[in-house]
């Protein structure tokens, strides 16, 4: 069956504690959601803040190939006539083809929050829906607190829906605003509403009980054909129902049509895009689209997955634009190594004995506190060293770093590095912004004549983690560094009880790997093995 998708990332999603979008971000996301095939994009509440007003003004210049842009608002205030209520007229002025308005379902809210009679509330709902219909809008009526309101009084909850329905609402959307309703109850209440009303029934769930997606799916099974949610599950408190997972489940598990099978493969890239603009990491364990969603670590799992992915994967990852990953760690069996070798194009270059020795080295390193899962660069270096044991490039003889405070709050760092390369001994001294920078500058100086390409390598991220905190400041630390050379990026890891030594190891590995790769790409005489 065709199920309509209603995305509220730009409205409800932005009520999430860490989520914030500029107007430019919102316009870019709206465009992306349209490309993804979402049916309705709720852009904001034009009556509530100037940012959303600007969004709708600028959204007039966008062209949507499929989606209906939707403005969000509330039923009129009791004190205004509907055509004089500024927030209702702002909705019309937003110029969108569709409008979502919420009204009160729960008698407690009507009496306590609005301070009006139950009949007056029915009037607010009916008049606002009718006014928007008279202005040619598609109206989605959001029954706020529907499930709690129904519990308090089924009769009154149904009368509010009746008021919206009679006034011409196109969708009656049932909201689990507080997110506390259990799945069986959602299904039963949706079925009850389905029996009373014809037309489109919608569902809007929140994740406070960690079952928002399940609740939305149960509602669809009970007859809802319009589903609201947020990409990546953003939203107030514990978030809205994750529309990504809803779409994937409806399409792949329940046999319904939402954005269609072809566009499903855009789910992962779109989720990453939105996370990027939200400046939040995409949760790696996010179902379907997270980096770990199809990642295999245990040796037994990997061996089976390599024979047949269906053994430990519930769907084919490419269907949602994701991919299988095999992690390297102390749980790894030889299957992981084989997989990784293939990935780096080195599969045919290690024999069985060399593979076993790489695996043993990995296990030892992980035991010492290295984490190779995250440090693909260090892993690649290990393998390349096993493939070409003679290829060494340089040896570090000695390094020295000194930091002196020159005035309160001001310090100065100098480093010296001595290393042996193919063309003899090099020594460099440099000052830097702190010890690690000074060392990096020295290393570059020493190697710049022989390998000018390493000037391209620069740090993009640096993380330190204490490994055995019970030792206090004497604890071992693990330094994980991300590098880029404008073509590709990789991470290396170093472990030591000295943060400078750990950083230095990660730095040296990063440079060695870059040199090995370059030598592999251009096997010129200058790149021949040394020592
Ligand atoms: Zn909500």
């Amino acid at each position: 069956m065709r199920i309509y998708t209603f995305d509220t990332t730009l409205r409800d999603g932005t009520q999430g504690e860490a989520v914030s979008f500029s107007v430019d971000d919102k316009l870019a996301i709206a465009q992306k959601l349209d490309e993804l095939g979402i049916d309705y994009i709720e852009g904001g509440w034009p009556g509530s803040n100037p940012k959303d007003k600007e969004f709708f003004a600028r959204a007039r210049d966008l062209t949507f190939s499929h989606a209906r842009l939707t403005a969000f608002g509330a039923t009129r205030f009791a004190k205004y006539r509907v055509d004089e209520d500024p927030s209702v007229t702002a909705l019309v002025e937003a110029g969108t083809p569709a409008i979502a308005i919420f009204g009160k379902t729960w008698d407690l809210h009507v009496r306590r929050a609005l301070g009006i009679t139950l009949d007056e509330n029915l009037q607010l709902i009916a008049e606002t829906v009718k006014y928007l219909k008279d202005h040619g809008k598609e109206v989605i009526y959001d029954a706020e607190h529907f499930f709690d309101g129904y519990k308090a009084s089924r009769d009154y909850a149904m009368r509010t829906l009746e008021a919206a329905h009679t006034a011409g609402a196109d969708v009656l959307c049932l909201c689990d605003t507080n997110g506390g309703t259990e799945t069986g109850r959602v299904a039963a209440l949706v079925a009850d509403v389905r029996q009373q009303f014809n037309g489109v029934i919608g569902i809007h769930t929140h994740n406070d009980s960690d079952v928002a997606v399940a609740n939305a799916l149960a509602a669809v099974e009970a007859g809802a054909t319009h589903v609201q949610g947020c990409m990546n599950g953003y939203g107030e408190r514990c978030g809205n129902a994750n529309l990504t997972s809803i779409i994937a489940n409806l399409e792949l598990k329940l046999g319904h049509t939402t954005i269609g099978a072809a566009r499903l493969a855009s789910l992962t890239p779109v989720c990453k895009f939105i996370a990027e603009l939200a400046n939040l990491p995409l949760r790696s364990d996010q179902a379907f689209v997270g980096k770990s969603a199809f990642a295999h670590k245990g040796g037994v799992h990997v061996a089976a997955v390599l024979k047949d992915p269906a053994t430990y994967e519930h769907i084919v990852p490419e269907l949602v634009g994701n991919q299988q990953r095999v992690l390297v760690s102390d749980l790894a069996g030889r299957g992981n190594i084989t997989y990784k070798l293939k990935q780096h194009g080195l599969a045919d270059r290690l024999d069985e004995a060399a593979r076993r020795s790489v695996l043993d080295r990995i296990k030892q390193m992980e035991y010492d506190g290295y984490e190779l899962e995250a440090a693909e660069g260090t892993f690649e270096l290990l393998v390349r060293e096993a493939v070409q044991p003679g290829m060494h490039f340089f040896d570090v003889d000695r390094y020295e770093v000194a930091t002196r405070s020159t005035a309160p709050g001001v310090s100065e760092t100098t480093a010296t590095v001595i290393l042996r390369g193919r063309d003899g001994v090099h020594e460099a001294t440099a000052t830097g912004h702190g010890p690690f920078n000074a060392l990096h500058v020295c290393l570059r100086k020493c190697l710049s004549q022989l390998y000018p390409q390493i000037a391209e390598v620069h740090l993009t991220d640096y993380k330190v983690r204490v490994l055995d905190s019970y030792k206090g400041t004497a604890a071992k630390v693990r330094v994980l560094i991300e590098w880029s050379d404008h073509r590709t990026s990789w991470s290396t890891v170093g472990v030591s009880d000295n943060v400078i030594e750990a950083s230095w190891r990660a730095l040296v590995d990063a440079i060695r790997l870059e040199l090995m790769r370059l030598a592999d790409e251009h096997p010129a005489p200058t790149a021949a093995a040394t020592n």
Side-chain angles (χ1 to χ4, degrees), residues 6 20 28 46 88 122 125 134 177 186 221 308 338 382 395 397 411-412 434 440 443 453 503 508 526:
F6 181 108
S20 168
V88 174
L122 298 178
I125 295 169
D134 288 346
T177 309
V186 168
E221 294 293 82
D308 182 352
T338 311
L382 270 180
D395 280 300
D397 270 3
S411 66
E412 195 181 86
H440 189 188
L443 188 63
Q453 312 94 313
S503 309
V508 168
T526 49

Side-chain angles (χ1 to χ4, degrees), residues 61-97:
D61 298 333
L62 298 182
T63 29
F64 291 110
S65 60
H66 171 83
R68 310 202 89 196
L69 192 61
T70 308
F72 175 82
T75 53
R76 75 164 168 85
F77 275 104
K79 62 179 174 184
Y80 293 125
R81 274 179 31 189
V82 70
D83 56 352
E84 287 171 353
D85 185 311
S87 73
V88 174
T89 51
L91 279 174
V92 175
E93 283 157 17
T96 57

Side-chain angles (χ1 to χ4, degrees), residues 350-385:
L350 271 192
D351 61 19
E352 194 55 31
R355 270 178 215 188
R356 197 164 301 137
S357 108
V358 169
L359 188 58
D360 287 346
R361 242 184 109 189
I362 288 169
K363 289 188 173 173
Q364 182 58 45
M365 286 175 78
E366 295 251 338
Y367 178 78
D368 292 339
Y370 281 77
E371 198 182 51
L372 296 180
E373 256 163 57
E376 300 234 338
T378 301
F379 171 77
E380 191 186 336
L381 183 65
L382 270 180
V383 174
R384 285 183 182 275
E385 281 174 350

